[in-house]
């Protein structure tokens, strides 16, 4: 029987999936190449002010939005900011929250754990990086008559999309940082977001400052992060 280009499931069209099966040898090599490429990704806190074209940011966002999501609701909005005045407002508000966090909200243990990263309350990258991408999660959608429409597994979905965005940024030869000023609600206000959106993550995007140094961290070996049941 000839393979159909599409079929019907519950009255909905399903299209033929384009498979991408590799030979065993290619499979081993391709997975290894990608691991080695991603193993070079590092969180970078110092940026060059070199511009990055808007088109690139749009492509990175489209890549993130290929992520799987609960019932394919894609419960996210990626806000991309290059406007200098707005970046300054974001920096000022983030630093105001971070000051309180570092001075009173974070435990001594937490601050000790962060010592190797060399973080502090000052966030110049929020003005220097050419783009800030603020990821918002949609806790629900808003229907035609203003009613709440459910989304599913919102944190998981937006977390996966954010991971794919970080991967895409690295793949483009750019750098980013998962910045989470806490609390983050100032971002919804500054960016005029609708009532169903909550800030999830802030990612500065750009080229690293040259030279840039990053903490000499090591990643856990396979034995420490996995268990095989064969
Ligand atoms: N949000 C603060 C503190 C901070 C917390 C964690 I957990 C980090 O891995 C890094 C920083 C800041 O951005 O400095």
């Amino acid at each position: 029987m000839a393979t159909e280009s599409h079929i019907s499931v519950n009255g909905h069209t399903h299209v033929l999936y384009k498979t991408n099966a590799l030979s065993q040898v290619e499979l081993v090599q391709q997975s290894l190449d990608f691991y080695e490429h991603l193993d070079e990704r590092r969180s970078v806190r110092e940026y060059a002010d070199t511009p990055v074209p808007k088109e690139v940011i749009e492509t990175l966002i489209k890549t993130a939005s290929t992520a799987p999501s609960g019932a394919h609701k894609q419960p996210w909005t990626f806000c991309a900011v290059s406007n200098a005045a707005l970046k300054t407002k974001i920096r000022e508000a983030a630093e105001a929250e971070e000051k309180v966090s570092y001075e009173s909200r974070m435990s001594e243990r937490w601050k000790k754990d962060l010592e190797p990263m060399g973080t502090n309350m000052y966030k110049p990258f929020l003005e220097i990086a050419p783009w800030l991408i603020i990821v918002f999660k949609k806790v629900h959608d808003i229907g035609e008559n203003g009613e709440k429409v459910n989304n599913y597994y919102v944190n998981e979905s937006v977390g996966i999309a954010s991971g794919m965005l970080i991967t895409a940024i690295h793949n483009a030869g750019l750098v980013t940082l998962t910045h989470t000023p806490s609390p983050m609600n100032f971002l919804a206000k500054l960016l005029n977001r609708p009532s169903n959106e909550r800030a999830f993550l802030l990612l500065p995007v750009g080229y690293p400052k040259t030279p840039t140094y990053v903490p000499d961290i090591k990643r856990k070996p396979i034995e420490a992060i996995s268990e095989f049941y064969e």
Side-chain angles (χ1 to χ4, degrees):
M1 203 178 82
T3 305
E4 307 287 345
S5 66
H6 57 272
I7 59 169
S8 179
V9 177
N10 298 334
H12 295 266
T13 302
H14 283 208
V15 295
L16 191 63
Y17 176 65
K18 238 196 304 157
T19 52
N20 186 27
L22 302 173
S23 73
Q24 289 269 327
V25 174
E26 290 167 329
L27 176 63
V28 169
Q29 194 57 51
Q30 192 156 314
S31 55
L32 185 62
D33 288 347
F34 193 60
Y35 159 64
E36 287 175 350
H37 177 47
L38 277 201
D39 195 32
E40 287 179 349
R41 185 205 57 78
R42 295 301 310 269
S43 292
V44 168
R45 293 185 164 76
E46 295 187 297
Y47 290 76
D49 60 5
T50 314
V52 170
K54 179 179 176 184
E55 181 191 355
V56 172
I57 301 299
E58 285 174 341
T59 303
L60 297 175
I61 291 171
K62 283 198 288 182
T63 307
S65 201
T66 66
S69 61
H72 190 53
K73 295 284 188 171
Q74 298 183 269
W76 45 63
T77 303
F78 298 91
C79 293
V81 179
S82 65
N83 179 282
L86 194 48
K87 285 196 293 180
T88 298
K89 281 190 186 157
I90 291 171
R91 177 183 178 181
E92 286 169 356
E95 286 184 341
E97 290 296 357
E98 294 291 82
K99 182 169 163 45
V100 183
S101 291
Y102 276 86
E103 287 179 353
S104 58
R105 284 193 285 245
M106 290 159 70
S107 65
E108 289 309 310
R109 171 74 177 269
W110 188 352
K111 282 187 272 189
K112 193 102 193 124
D113 279 341
L114 288 179
E115 267 175 19
M117 282 64 175
T119 65
N120 58 39
M121 67 178 80
Y122 302 107
K123 308 295 172 189
F125 56 78
L126 293 173
E127 285 185 291
I128 298 168
W131 290 95
L132 305 178
I133 300 180
I134 299 96
V135 184
F136 285 88
K137 64 178 181 185
K138 291 185 173 180
V139 289
H140 58 81
D141 275 330
I142 298 174
E144 276 176 21
N145 303 314
E147 76 280 15
K148 288 185 181 178
V149 178
N150 267 359
N151 283 327
Y152 311 96
Y153 297 100
V154 169
N155 286 318
E156 292 84 349
S157 302
V158 180
I160 295 166
S162 298
M164 291 174 63
L165 178 55
I166 292 164
T167 306
I169 291 167
H170 176 68
N171 186 58
L174 300 170
V175 293
T176 188
L177 166 70
T178 48
H179 181 46
T180 50
S182 175
M184 296 181 97
N185 41 7
F186 68 88
L187 289 165
K189 285 193 201 108
L190 283 176
L191 299 172
N192 282 326
R193 300 316 303 159
S195 62
N196 61 326
E197 293 190 12
R198 307 276 181 281
F200 184 80
L201 187 62
L202 191 164
L203 298 168
V205 182
Y207 293 93
K209 192 192 88 181
T210 40
T212 291
Y213 293 88
V214 292
D216 187 19
I217 54 161
K218 301 285 179 265
R219 294 194 162 104
K220 292 178 179 175
I222 184 73
E223 301 76 31
I225 56 159
S226 62
E227 206 66 69
F228 284 73
Y229 303 83
E230 292 179 273

